[in-house]
Amino acid sequence: MAKVSGQRAQRYASFEMRLVAFLLDLIVLFSFLMLFMAVAGLQLLLRSDFGVEDPPDSAFYAAAVILLLYLFPFLPLYFWGMWVWRGQTVGKMTMAIKVVRRDGHPVGPGTAALRLVGYLFSTLLLFVGFLMIPFDRERRGLHDRLADTVVLDIT
């Protein structure tokens, strides 16, 4: 249990709730990836005169740029922006869990950026940073420790 700014004690979100929220976020992000791929494919199709001729090299470069825009900046901005705006991604909203600073205040831009860096390291370290969550008393992963955040069950 966590005491948050003079309010009643709140429960930390379980590993399972956070995992389901993350999987839901992956579904949302996959949907956006399909949208970016459709735009990249459509411009290839249009520049090939609907398959009549080979598209120019510049069309492939444009498709690559469109897909890179998904990776940078869209993907990081999804997490960063949602944490700053609401403290919740779409998956966390669905699971009724919320990211807050450890003192109970909302996540600000700097805290969200630190958390995002921690997410990246947790992922690059073969998800070891996420595997800390079930074993931590406050259910914090590497990214939570780096940004000094907790994820609360707000039901």
Side-chain angles (χ1 to χ4, degrees), residues 40-145:
L42 179 63
Q43 74 84 30
L44 275 172
L45 185 64
L46 291 173
R47 297 197 52 205
S48 72
D49 200 21
F50 291 92
V52 173
E53 56 190 53
D54 287 338
D57 287 345
S58 61
F60 290 103
Y61 297 138
V65 167
I66 291 167
L67 294 177
L68 283 174
L69 286 174
Y70 173 78
L71 289 175
F72 315 100
F74 179 81
L75 193 60
L77 280 176
Y78 169 78
F79 289 104
W80 181 85
M82 296 297 283
W83 291 333
V84 170
W85 178 45
R86 295 186 55 128
Q88 299 172 295
T89 58
V90 172
K92 284 181 175 48
M93 287 180 218
T94 305
M95 295 304 297
I97 59 179
K98 185 173 187 171
V99 179
V100 296
R101 290 189 345 212
R102 207 156 164 223
D103 62 7
H105 290 92
V107 173
T111 302
L114 277 175
R115 196 165 197 275
L116 189 61
V117 168
Y119 244 55
L120 178 63
F121 283 126
S122 293
T123 303
L124 292 176
L125 296 173
L126 303 175
F127 299 98
V128 171
F130 296 106
L131 294 176
M132 296 168 59
I133 296 168
F135 304 105
D136 186 80
R137 184 180 61 78
E138 295 177 320
R139 303 289 181 241
R140 296 171 66 194
L142 177 64
H143 50 287
D144 294 310
R145 290 188 173 282

Side-chain angles (χ1 to χ4, degrees), residues 3-15:
K3 186 91 172 164
V4 180
S5 356
Q7 300 173 357
R8 65 177 174 81
Q10 301 229 3
R11 292 177 295 161
Y12 298 113
S14 69
F15 175 73

Side-chain angles (χ1 to χ4, degrees), residues 13-27:
S14 69
F15 175 73
E16 294 82 5
M17 291 177 78
R18 293 179 70 171
L19 179 61
V20 171
F22 182 71
L23 293 174
L24 291 170
D25 284 328
L26 288 181
I27 292 169

